[in-house]
Amino acid sequence: MTTGENEPGAAGAIAPSEFGRGWRIVLTSALGVGLGVSGLLTYNVGLFARDLAGDIALSRTAFGAAFFGSTLAMAAAMPLVGRLIDRFGPRAMAALGALMLSLGFLALSQVWSAGAYVLILVLIGLLTATSTPVPYTRAVSAAFNRSRGLALGLTQVGIGLAAAIVPPLIAIIITRYGWREGFLALSALAALGIFPALFGLPGRALLAARAAGEHYGAVRSSRLYRLQYLAFCAMAFAFAGMLPHFVPMLREAGMPVQQAGALAGLIGLSVIVTRILVGWLADRIEPAWLGCASCLMCGTGCAVLALGGSAMAPLGAIALGAAMGAEADLIGILTARYFPLAGYSRAYAAQYGGFMVAAGLSPLWMGKLADMTGGYTSALLAAAGLLLIPATLFLLLPRLATSSS
């Protein structure tokens, strides 16, 4: 199910006219996604695990369960997010999500028990779903065609920048002032995300909600969409749990929090490079092949980290960041290229919801396996094996030039 405008044959040199008129929306969208829930929660929550374990008795299993509950709530909200964006436009929805995220971090700074932490994290997932990349990538996809892959990759760089810059800063704040002040700092950063949403995104719906719903109905019923959906979910389930467990894993190996936070920042740097590279390559070669390659790279990194220990942490961080960067890029790229743009908001939101559920289950099973075995070696090896499944599924996706529903 493709249209001629979405085929990769138009991807030659960068179209100056597209970036000439659309650079502002790419820049503000990159800032918005970086200051949203995808940039601020996932990459920083692990920094608080050890202190929360001591102060409010939060176990590793409860830590994983809270993250899963948050992502499950976010996934449940995703169908509504797509409808709201089609009806009210990206601007209002993204600004509302940024406000809710700021209030959520503020609430976490006052948490008093493990149960309260779990409850607040679930509410963050439910109420901040519009601060995900969905409204931003919808606006960018509408503004670009020939260089859409690169534009979407540059948009997602905002998350990588946040992942590279914010964790080391939050780690310093936690070390010097305490974990409550760390959550307050995240609250302030999230509040800044209101501005790119208000000043960078369209203020009204780009499509009639009814027409968008009709297009999404056709997309949802296609075999191609289901295969793509399964590939992204399988990939997230296999490796995404490494993100929140990465810092706790290194700290259990005796690494100081600031050094562990710096390595978490290396994940962000890897994400940045990967998102630009994948976006650029996706305008020139089959994007699904990039998904397969990222799965194999991440699997290799997990195996090396399991066998080599914390000495291999930099390599593991690079591989993990590469996989995260590629997956986030490719959801938007493949959705915009395989299917009509009219159904993009709901199609992307549904896939992002499935991705979030799988990503939420991933730290749960990794944390449980770590508790059962007394370490993370088995979880890393299991992740390496599971990544072979999405690698195969990506290879089953058709070529863009010949795909059909």
Side-chain angles (χ1 to χ4, degrees):
M1 178 186 295
T2 58
T3 60
E5 66 172 359
N6 291 339
E7 293 178 4
I14 297 175
S17 59
E18 284 191 330
F19 276 95
R21 67 174 181 266
W23 69 268
R24 288 182 180 84
I25 196 168
V26 172
L27 177 59
T28 54
S29 293
L31 290 172
V33 297
L35 295 172
V37 65
S38 301
L40 295 183
L41 181 65
T42 303
Y43 294 95
N44 291 283
V45 68
L47 297 170
F48 298 87
R50 188 168 182 176
D51 296 290
L52 291 172
D55 286 0
I56 64 173
L58 186 72
S59 68
R60 284 179 295 192
T61 300
F63 172 75
F67 193 82
F68 171 61
S70 179
T71 53
L72 186 63
M74 185 176 296
M78 277 299 160
L80 179 60
V81 168
R83 291 174 180 270
L84 290 173
I85 292 171
D86 285 335
R87 184 174 181 83
F88 298 107
R91 179 193 296 172
M93 294 300 100
L96 177 62
L99 175 61
M100 291 297 101
L101 182 61
S102 179
L103 294 175
F105 283 129
L106 181 62
L108 283 176
S109 72
Q110 304 302 313
V111 73
W112 62 92
S113 68
Y117 173 84
V118 173
L119 176 61
I120 294 172
L121 217 63
V122 170
L123 290 175
I124 286 177
L126 183 65
L127 300 176
T128 69
T130 55
S131 74
T132 61
V134 181
Y136 296 99
T137 60
R138 174 63 183 90
V140 171
S141 293
F144 288 83
N145 177 32
R146 184 172 182 175
S147 301
R148 185 179 290 149
L150 180 57
L152 288 170
L154 291 171
T155 297
Q156 297 280 9
V157 162
I159 298 177
L161 287 171
I165 297 171
V166 177
L169 295 177
I170 298 300
I172 292 174
I173 292 173
I174 292 173
T175 301
R176 294 183 179 179
Y177 305 106
W179 62 269
R180 295 186 187 276
E181 286 72 15
F183 279 127
L184 288 174
L186 287 175
S187 177
L189 288 172
L192 293 177
I194 297 173
F195 296 100
L198 289 179
F199 298 108
L201 296 183
R204 58 188 179 86
L206 303 178
L207 294 165
R210 180 177 178 181
E214 291 172 354
H215 280 285
Y216 173 58
V219 169
R220 184 177 55 187
S221 63
S222 69
R223 177 182 176 274
L224 172 57
Y225 181 73
R226 293 192 293 269
L227 182 61
Q228 179 178 311
Y229 185 98
L230 182 60
F232 285 119
C233 288
M235 185 179 180
F237 180 80
F239 88 95
M242 282 289 296
L243 288 171
H245 282 292
F246 189 77
V247 170
M249 175 176 59
L250 296 181
R251 294 193 70 185
E252 285 189 10
M255 187 176 291
V257 63
Q258 288 182 257
Q259 185 179 353
L263 284 172
L266 183 58
I267 296 176
L269 291 175
S270 179
V271 168
I272 293 171
V273 174
T274 300
R275 284 180 174 165
I276 297 174
L277 181 61
V278 167
W280 182 80
L281 287 173
D283 288 327
R284 290 158 175 79
I285 64 174
E286 295 293 329
W289 298 350
L290 300 174
C292 176
S294 67
C295 289
L296 297 179
M297 181 185 298
C298 186
T300 301
C302 289
V304 169
L305 187 56
L307 300 176
S310 59
M312 294 291 104
L315 181 60
I318 292 172
L320 179 59
M324 194 68 191
E327 182 165 32
D329 265 11
L330 290 172
I331 293 177
I333 291 169
L334 287 174
T335 300
R337 293 254 179 92
Y338 277 134
F339 310 110
L341 191 58
Y344 179 91
S345 294
R346 301 188 195 188
Y348 183 99
Q351 287 183 95
Y352 197 83
F355 163 78
M356 293 301 293
V357 171
L361 281 170
S362 188
L364 186 60
W365 74 257
M366 284 188 178
K368 186 65 175 179
L369 187 56
D371 281 334
M372 291 173 59
T373 61
Y376 284 95
T377 300
S378 297
L380 289 168
L381 293 175
L386 287 172
L387 279 164
L388 295 176
I389 297 174
T392 302
L393 292 174
F394 279 118
L395 290 179
L396 294 176
L397 290 173
R399 285 176 172 267
L400 281 164
T402 59
S403 60
S404 63
S405 60

Short mmCIF file of all heavy atoms in Angstrom, two decimals, residues 79-133:
data_model
loop_
_atom_site.label_atom_id
_atom_site.label_comp_id
_atom_site.label_asym_id
_atom_site.label_seq_id
_atom_site.Cartn_x
_atom_site.Cartn_y
_atom_site.Cartn_z
N PRO A 79 -4.36 5.37 20.84
CA PRO A 79 -5.43 5.53 19.84
C PRO A 79 -6.14 6.88 19.95
O PRO A 79 -6.48 7.50 18.94
CB PRO A 79 -6.38 4.37 20.17
CG PRO A 79 -5.49 3.33 20.79
CD PRO A 79 -4.50 4.11 21.60
N LEU A 80 -6.34 7.34 21.18
CA LEU A 80 -6.96 8.65 21.39
C LEU A 80 -6.03 9.77 20.95
O LEU A 80 -6.47 10.78 20.39
CB LEU A 80 -7.33 8.82 22.86
CG LEU A 80 -7.98 10.16 23.25
CD1 LEU A 80 -9.29 10.37 22.48
CD2 LEU A 80 -8.23 10.21 24.76
N VAL A 81 -4.72 9.59 21.17
CA VAL A 81 -3.75 10.61 20.76
C VAL A 81 -3.83 10.86 19.26
O VAL A 81 -3.87 12.00 18.80
CB VAL A 81 -2.32 10.19 21.16
CG1 VAL A 81 -1.27 11.07 20.49
CG2 VAL A 81 -2.15 10.25 22.67
N GLY A 82 -3.86 9.78 18.47
CA GLY A 82 -3.96 9.93 17.03
C GLY A 82 -5.21 10.68 16.62
O GLY A 82 -5.18 11.55 15.74
N ARG A 83 -6.33 10.36 17.24
CA ARG A 83 -7.59 11.04 16.93
C ARG A 83 -7.55 12.52 17.30
O ARG A 83 -8.02 13.39 16.55
CB ARG A 83 -8.74 10.36 17.66
CG ARG A 83 -9.07 8.96 17.16
CD ARG A 83 -10.13 8.31 18.04
NE ARG A 83 -10.45 6.97 17.59
CZ ARG A 83 -11.39 6.67 16.71
NH1 ARG A 83 -12.13 7.65 16.18
NH2 ARG A 83 -11.63 5.43 16.35
N LEU A 84 -6.99 12.82 18.46
CA LEU A 84 -6.91 14.21 18.92
C LEU A 84 -6.02 15.05 18.01
O LEU A 84 -6.32 16.23 17.74
CB LEU A 84 -6.41 14.26 20.36
CG LEU A 84 -7.37 13.73 21.43
CD1 LEU A 84 -6.67 13.68 22.79
CD2 LEU A 84 -8.63 14.56 21.50
N ILE A 85 -4.91 14.47 17.56
CA ILE A 85 -4.02 15.21 16.65
C ILE A 85 -4.73 15.50 15.34
O ILE A 85 -4.62 16.61 14.79
CB ILE A 85 -2.72 14.43 16.43
CG1 ILE A 85 -1.90 14.37 17.72
CG2 ILE A 85 -1.89 15.07 15.32
CD1 ILE A 85 -0.72 13.45 17.66
N ASP A 86 -5.47 14.51 14.82
CA ASP A 86 -6.22 14.74 13.58
C ASP A 86 -7.29 15.80 13.76
O ASP A 86 -7.60 16.55 12.83
CB ASP A 86 -6.88 13.42 13.12
CG ASP A 86 -5.87 12.45 12.52
OD1 ASP A 86 -4.83 12.91 12.03
OD2 ASP A 86 -6.14 11.23 12.53
N ARG A 87 -7.86 15.88 14.96
CA ARG A 87 -8.97 16.80 15.19
C ARG A 87 -8.52 18.21 15.56
O ARG A 87 -9.05 19.20 15.05
CB ARG A 87 -9.89 16.25 16.28
CG ARG A 87 -11.14 17.10 16.52
CD ARG A 87 -12.06 16.43 17.52
NE ARG A 87 -13.27 17.21 17.74
CZ ARG A 87 -14.35 17.18 16.98
NH1 ARG A 87 -14.37 16.40 15.91
NH2 ARG A 87 -15.42 17.92 17.25
N PHE A 88 -7.54 18.31 16.47
CA PHE A 88 -7.16 19.62 17.00
C PHE A 88 -5.80 20.12 16.52
O PHE A 88 -5.42 21.25 16.80
CB PHE A 88 -7.16 19.58 18.53
CG PHE A 88 -8.50 19.27 19.13
CD1 PHE A 88 -8.77 18.03 19.69
CD2 PHE A 88 -9.51 20.22 19.10
CE1 PHE A 88 -10.00 17.74 20.24
CE2 PHE A 88 -10.76 19.94 19.65
CZ PHE A 88 -11.01 18.70 20.22
N GLY A 89 -5.05 19.28 15.83
CA GLY A 89 -3.74 19.67 15.34
C GLY A 89 -2.63 19.36 16.32
O GLY A 89 -2.86 19.15 17.51
N PRO A 90 -1.39 19.32 15.84
CA PRO A 90 -0.26 18.94 16.69
C PRO A 90 0.05 19.93 17.81
O PRO A 90 0.49 19.53 18.89
CB PRO A 90 0.92 18.86 15.70
CG PRO A 90 0.29 18.70 14.36
CD PRO A 90 -1.00 19.46 14.43
N ARG A 91 -0.16 21.23 17.58
CA ARG A 91 0.32 22.24 18.54
C ARG A 91 -0.31 22.08 19.92
O ARG A 91 0.40 21.97 20.93
CB ARG A 91 0.04 23.64 18.02
CG ARG A 91 0.50 24.74 18.99
CD ARG A 91 -0.07 26.09 18.61
NE ARG A 91 0.42 26.53 17.31
CZ ARG A 91 -0.04 27.60 16.67
NH1 ARG A 91 -1.02 28.32 17.22
NH2 ARG A 91 0.46 27.96 15.51
N ALA A 92 -1.61 22.08 19.98
CA ALA A 92 -2.29 22.02 21.28
C ALA A 92 -1.99 20.73 22.02
O ALA A 92 -1.78 20.73 23.24
CB ALA A 92 -3.81 22.18 21.08
N MET A 93 -1.94 19.62 21.28
CA MET A 93 -1.71 18.32 21.92
C MET A 93 -0.30 18.21 22.48
O MET A 93 -0.09 17.71 23.59
CB MET A 93 -2.00 17.20 20.93
CG MET A 93 -3.45 17.09 20.50
SD MET A 93 -4.56 16.78 21.93
CE MET A 93 -5.20 18.43 22.23
N ALA A 94 0.69 18.67 21.72
CA ALA A 94 2.07 18.60 22.19
C ALA A 94 2.29 19.51 23.41
O ALA A 94 2.98 19.13 24.36
CB ALA A 94 3.03 18.98 21.07
N ALA A 95 1.70 20.70 23.40
CA ALA A 95 1.84 21.62 24.53
C ALA A 95 1.20 21.04 25.79
O ALA A 95 1.75 21.14 26.90
CB ALA A 95 1.23 22.98 24.20
N LEU A 96 0.04 20.43 25.63
CA LEU A 96 -0.63 19.80 26.78
C LEU A 96 0.22 18.67 27.35
O LEU A 96 0.36 18.53 28.57
CB LEU A 96 -1.99 19.27 26.35
CG LEU A 96 -2.79 18.52 27.42
CD1 LEU A 96 -3.11 19.44 28.59
CD2 LEU A 96 -4.07 17.93 26.82
N GLY A 97 0.80 17.86 26.48
CA GLY A 97 1.66 16.77 26.94
C GLY A 97 2.86 17.26 27.71
O GLY A 97 3.26 16.68 28.73
N ALA A 98 3.48 18.36 27.25
CA ALA A 98 4.64 18.91 27.94
C ALA A 98 4.27 19.40 29.34
O ALA A 98 5.01 19.20 30.31
CB ALA A 98 5.24 20.06 27.12
N LEU A 99 3.11 20.04 29.46
CA LEU A 99 2.66 20.52 30.76
C LEU A 99 2.42 19.35 31.72
O LEU A 99 2.83 19.40 32.89
CB LEU A 99 1.38 21.33 30.59
CG LEU A 99 0.70 21.81 31.87
CD1 LEU A 99 1.63 22.73 32.66
CD2 LEU A 99 -0.61 22.50 31.56
N MET A 100 1.77 18.31 31.23
CA MET A 100 1.50 17.15 32.08
C MET A 100 2.79 16.45 32.52
O MET A 100 2.90 15.97 33.64
CB MET A 100 0.61 16.16 31.32
CG MET A 100 -0.81 16.64 31.08
SD MET A 100 -1.76 16.90 32.62
CE MET A 100 -1.65 18.69 32.78
N LEU A 101 3.78 16.41 31.62
CA LEU A 101 5.05 15.78 31.97
C LEU A 101 5.77 16.56 33.07
O LEU A 101 6.32 15.97 34.01
CB LEU A 101 5.94 15.68 30.74
CG LEU A 101 7.29 14.99 30.93
CD1 LEU A 101 7.11 13.55 31.37
CD2 LEU A 101 8.12 15.06 29.65
N SER A 102 5.74 17.86 32.99
CA SER A 102 6.36 18.69 34.02
C SER A 102 5.71 18.45 35.38
O SER A 102 6.39 18.29 36.40
CB SER A 102 6.26 20.17 33.64
OG SER A 102 6.83 20.99 34.64
N LEU A 103 4.37 18.39 35.39
CA LEU A 103 3.67 18.13 36.65
C LEU A 103 3.95 16.72 37.16
O LEU A 103 4.03 16.49 38.38
CB LEU A 103 2.16 18.31 36.43
CG LEU A 103 1.70 19.75 36.12
CD1 LEU A 103 0.21 19.78 35.81
CD2 LEU A 103 2.04 20.69 37.28
N GLY A 104 4.13 15.76 36.26
CA GLY A 104 4.44 14.40 36.67
C GLY A 104 5.77 14.29 37.38
O GLY A 104 5.89 13.63 38.42
N PHE A 105 6.81 14.92 36.82
CA PHE A 105 8.11 14.91 37.49
C PHE A 105 8.06 15.64 38.83
O PHE A 105 8.73 15.25 39.79
CB PHE A 105 9.17 15.54 36.58
CG PHE A 105 9.65 14.64 35.47
CD1 PHE A 105 9.67 15.10 34.16
CD2 PHE A 105 10.07 13.35 35.73
CE1 PHE A 105 10.12 14.29 33.13
CE2 PHE A 105 10.52 12.52 34.71
CZ PHE A 105 10.54 12.99 33.41
N LEU A 106 7.27 16.69 38.88
CA LEU A 106 7.10 17.41 40.14
C LEU A 106 6.50 16.49 41.20
O LEU A 106 6.93 16.49 42.37
CB LEU A 106 6.21 18.62 39.92
CG LEU A 106 5.93 19.51 41.15
CD1 LEU A 106 7.23 20.12 41.68
CD2 LEU A 106 4.94 20.62 40.79
N ALA A 107 5.52 15.68 40.80
CA ALA A 107 4.91 14.73 41.74
C ALA A 107 5.91 13.67 42.18
O ALA A 107 5.93 13.27 43.36
CB ALA A 107 3.69 14.08 41.09
N LEU A 108 6.76 13.21 41.27
CA LEU A 108 7.76 12.20 41.63
C LEU A 108 8.76 12.74 42.66
O LEU A 108 9.29 11.98 43.47
CB LEU A 108 8.51 11.72 40.39
CG LEU A 108 7.78 10.74 39.47
CD1 LEU A 108 8.61 10.44 38.24
CD2 LEU A 108 7.43 9.45 40.21
N SER A 109 9.01 14.03 42.64
CA SER A 109 9.95 14.61 43.60
C SER A 109 9.42 14.54 45.02
O SER A 109 10.18 14.70 45.98
CB SER A 109 10.26 16.06 43.23
OG SER A 109 9.15 16.92 43.50
N GLN A 110 8.10 14.30 45.17
CA GLN A 110 7.50 14.25 46.49
C GLN A 110 7.07 12.84 46.88
O GLN A 110 6.36 12.66 47.87
CB GLN A 110 6.27 15.18 46.54
CG GLN A 110 6.56 16.61 46.15
CD GLN A 110 7.61 17.25 47.03
OE1 GLN A 110 7.55 17.15 48.26
NE2 GLN A 110 8.59 17.92 46.42
N VAL A 111 7.47 11.83 46.11
CA VAL A 111 7.02 10.46 46.35
C VAL A 111 7.51 9.97 47.72
O VAL A 111 8.61 10.31 48.16
CB VAL A 111 7.50 9.54 45.21
CG1 VAL A 111 8.99 9.26 45.30
CG2 VAL A 111 6.71 8.25 45.19
N TRP A 112 6.71 9.17 48.38
CA TRP A 112 7.02 8.74 49.75
C TRP A 112 7.04 7.22 49.93
O TRP A 112 7.45 6.73 50.97
CB TRP A 112 5.97 9.32 50.70
CG TRP A 112 4.57 8.84 50.41
CD1 TRP A 112 3.95 7.76 50.94
CD2 TRP A 112 3.66 9.41 49.48
NE1 TRP A 112 2.69 7.61 50.40
CE2 TRP A 112 2.48 8.63 49.50
CE3 TRP A 112 3.70 10.53 48.64
CZ2 TRP A 112 1.37 8.92 48.71
CZ3 TRP A 112 2.59 10.80 47.86
CH2 TRP A 112 1.45 10.01 47.90
N SER A 113 6.60 6.45 48.94
CA SER A 113 6.57 5.00 49.07
C SER A 113 6.69 4.37 47.69
O SER A 113 6.50 5.03 46.66
CB SER A 113 5.27 4.54 49.73
OG SER A 113 4.16 4.77 48.89
N ALA A 114 7.01 3.07 47.67
CA ALA A 114 7.12 2.36 46.40
C ALA A 114 5.79 2.35 45.66
O ALA A 114 5.74 2.50 44.43
CB ALA A 114 7.61 0.93 46.64
N GLY A 115 4.70 2.19 46.40
CA GLY A 115 3.38 2.18 45.78
C GLY A 115 3.05 3.51 45.13
O GLY A 115 2.49 3.56 44.02
N ALA A 116 3.40 4.61 45.80
CA ALA A 116 3.15 5.94 45.24
C ALA A 116 3.98 6.17 43.99
O ALA A 116 3.52 6.76 43.01
CB ALA A 116 3.45 7.01 46.29
N TYR A 117 5.22 5.68 44.00
CA TYR A 117 6.09 5.81 42.83
C TYR A 117 5.46 5.10 41.63
O TYR A 117 5.40 5.66 40.52
CB TYR A 117 7.46 5.23 43.13
CG TYR A 117 8.39 5.17 41.94
CD1 TYR A 117 9.13 6.28 41.56
CD2 TYR A 117 8.52 4.00 41.19
CE1 TYR A 117 9.98 6.23 40.45
CE2 TYR A 117 9.35 3.94 40.08
CZ TYR A 117 10.09 5.06 39.73
OH TYR A 117 10.91 4.99 38.63
N VAL A 118 5.00 3.88 41.83
CA VAL A 118 4.39 3.12 40.74
C VAL A 118 3.15 3.85 40.21
O VAL A 118 2.96 3.98 39.00
CB VAL A 118 4.03 1.70 41.21
CG1 VAL A 118 3.23 0.96 40.13
CG2 VAL A 118 5.29 0.92 41.57
N LEU A 119 2.30 4.34 41.12
CA LEU A 119 1.07 5.02 40.72
C LEU A 119 1.37 6.28 39.91
O LEU A 119 0.75 6.52 38.86
CB LEU A 119 0.25 5.39 41.96
CG LEU A 119 -1.03 6.20 41.70
CD1 LEU A 119 -1.99 5.43 40.82
CD2 LEU A 119 -1.69 6.58 43.03
N ILE A 120 2.30 7.09 40.36
CA ILE A 120 2.62 8.33 39.66
C ILE A 120 3.22 8.04 38.29
O ILE A 120 2.90 8.71 37.30
CB ILE A 120 3.57 9.20 40.51
CG1 ILE A 120 2.87 9.68 41.77
CG2 ILE A 120 4.08 10.39 39.70
CD1 ILE A 120 3.78 10.38 42.77
N LEU A 121 4.07 7.01 38.19
CA LEU A 121 4.66 6.69 36.91
C LEU A 121 3.60 6.22 35.91
O LEU A 121 3.67 6.55 34.72
CB LEU A 121 5.74 5.62 37.08
CG LEU A 121 6.97 5.79 36.18
CD1 LEU A 121 7.70 7.09 36.49
CD2 LEU A 121 7.91 4.61 36.31
N VAL A 122 2.60 5.50 36.40
CA VAL A 122 1.50 5.07 35.53
C VAL A 122 0.72 6.29 35.04
O VAL A 122 0.36 6.38 33.85
CB VAL A 122 0.58 4.09 36.26
CG1 VAL A 122 -0.70 3.85 35.46
CG2 VAL A 122 1.30 2.76 36.49
N LEU A 123 0.45 7.24 35.92
CA LEU A 123 -0.26 8.45 35.52
C LEU A 123 0.54 9.27 34.52
O LEU A 123 -0.02 9.88 33.60
CB LEU A 123 -0.60 9.29 36.76
CG LEU A 123 -1.66 8.71 37.69
CD1 LEU A 123 -1.81 9.58 38.94
CD2 LEU A 123 -3.00 8.58 36.96
N ILE A 124 1.85 9.29 34.68
CA ILE A 124 2.70 9.99 33.71
C ILE A 124 2.52 9.38 32.33
O ILE A 124 2.38 10.08 31.32
CB ILE A 124 4.17 9.95 34.16
CG1 ILE A 124 4.40 10.90 35.34
CG2 ILE A 124 5.10 10.32 33.00
CD1 ILE A 124 5.81 10.87 35.90
N GLY A 125 2.52 8.05 32.27
CA GLY A 125 2.33 7.39 30.98
C GLY A 125 1.00 7.72 30.35
O GLY A 125 0.91 7.95 29.13
N LEU A 126 -0.05 7.79 31.16
CA LEU A 126 -1.39 8.05 30.64
C LEU A 126 -1.57 9.49 30.19
O LEU A 126 -2.16 9.76 29.14
CB LEU A 126 -2.42 7.72 31.73
CG LEU A 126 -3.89 7.86 31.35
CD1 LEU A 126 -4.26 6.86 30.27
CD2 LEU A 126 -4.78 7.69 32.58
N LEU A 127 -1.06 10.43 30.94
CA LEU A 127 -1.35 11.85 30.72
C LEU A 127 -0.34 12.58 29.86
O LEU A 127 -0.59 13.72 29.46
CB LEU A 127 -1.48 12.57 32.08
CG LEU A 127 -2.58 12.04 33.01
CD1 LEU A 127 -2.53 12.77 34.35
CD2 LEU A 127 -3.95 12.17 32.36
N THR A 128 0.79 11.96 29.59
CA THR A 128 1.83 12.64 28.80
C THR A 128 2.00 12.03 27.41
O THR A 128 2.99 12.31 26.73
CB THR A 128 3.18 12.63 29.53
OG1 THR A 128 3.70 11.29 29.56
CG2 THR A 128 3.05 13.15 30.95
N ALA A 129 1.04 11.23 26.98
CA ALA A 129 1.18 10.53 25.70
C ALA A 129 1.31 11.48 24.52
O ALA A 129 1.91 11.14 23.50
CB ALA A 129 0.01 9.58 25.49
N THR A 130 0.75 12.68 24.64
CA THR A 130 0.86 13.63 23.53
C THR A 130 2.20 14.37 23.50
O THR A 130 2.43 15.19 22.61
CB THR A 130 -0.28 14.67 23.57
OG1 THR A 130 -0.29 15.32 24.85
CG2 THR A 130 -1.63 14.01 23.32
N SER A 131 3.09 14.08 24.46
CA SER A 131 4.44 14.63 24.40
C SER A 131 5.41 13.68 23.72
O SER A 131 6.61 13.95 23.65
CB SER A 131 4.95 14.98 25.81
OG SER A 131 5.30 13.81 26.53
N THR A 132 4.91 12.54 23.23
CA THR A 132 5.72 11.61 22.44
C THR A 132 6.01 12.22 21.06
O THR A 132 5.48 13.28 20.73
CB THR A 132 4.98 10.28 22.28
OG1 THR A 132 3.76 10.52 21.58
CG2 THR A 132 4.68 9.64 23.64
N PRO A 133 6.79 11.55 20.22
CA PRO A 133 7.08 12.12 18.89
C PRO A 133 5.90 12.16 17.93
O PRO A 133 6.04 12.73 16.83
CB PRO A 133 8.18 11.18 18.35
CG PRO A 133 8.81 10.58 19.55
CD PRO A 133 7.69 10.43 20.53
#
